[in-house]
Amino acid sequence: MKIRHTDDVSPVIVREPGAKNVTLRRLIDTPDGPDRFVMSMFEMEPNGATPPHYHDWEHELYVLSGSLRITQPVEGHEHPLRQGDVAFIPRGEPHGLVTGPDEHCRLLLVAPAERPPVNSFFLSDEAPQHDSAPSGAER
Ligand code: ZN
């Protein structure tokens, strides 16, 4: 068994491209030995954001304090969340988190211990760049 206090876990700055004013504390992480689930606490300051993204694993989220909005970039929807709200984000569903100028929050996030890579969600319809050779008159 492992027991620790949140205050004893150092926050790290979330440095994904597009992330703003967000830190996380890995409360229970893979070095602790979980088979299935890890638990993190995210803290968002005013005007904070995680970039819209999706991944092949789900989130379960619990708002400990404050308020924020969870976004659905495909639909263009934003849902306000406040202390005590929970959200389930299924695998593959694009999402992001934002706080307004007067908002801050702390939330608990549970995720699988083994996580495939996170994919950025692009709001543009333009085709992504590929590394493959350009189509041309090569023979
Ligand atoms: Zn996510």
Side-chain angles (χ1 to χ4, degrees):
M1 185 184 301
K2 299 207 173 176
I3 297 171
R4 60 172 64 103
H5 193 279
T6 302
D7 291 348
D8 296 328
V9 180
S10 299
V12 296
I13 296 170
V14 176
R15 296 191 185 280
E16 286 177 304
K20 289 188 305 183
N21 303 336
V22 186
T23 59
L24 75 85
R25 295 174 203 242
R26 301 181 192 282
L27 302 178
I28 301 171
D29 200 10
T30 42
D32 299 317
D35 289 330
R36 298 280 192 269
F37 305 108
V38 295
M39 181 189 291
S40 303
M41 189 180 81
F42 281 70
E43 292 180 80
M44 300 180 69
E45 298 299 320
N47 297 315
T50 66
H53 65 279
Y54 64 96
H55 31 66
D56 192 31
W57 42 272
E58 66 266 32
H59 282 309
E60 295 179 4
L61 184 157
Y62 181 98
V63 183
L64 295 168
S65 65
S67 64
L68 71 152
R69 283 161 289 144
I70 188 165
T71 63
Q72 290 182 294
V74 176
E75 298 84 353
H77 294 163
E78 286 193 355
H79 305 279
L81 299 179
R82 60 186 175 88
Q83 181 177 359
D85 283 339
V86 299
F88 171 63
I89 303 165
R91 66 175 63 193
E93 185 173 309
H95 57 279
L97 306 175
V98 295
T99 46
D102 299 321
E103 288 184 308
H104 59 86
C105 71
R106 296 192 314 157
L107 59 90
L108 212 53
L109 190 137
V110 177
E114 293 200 5
R115 300 184 293 282
V118 171
N119 299 294
S120 296
F121 177 80
F122 297 102
L123 294 169
S124 167
D125 288 335
E126 289 182 27
Q129 299 277 342
H130 293 288
D131 292 333
S132 56
S135 58
E138 295 143 30
R139 301 200 174 186

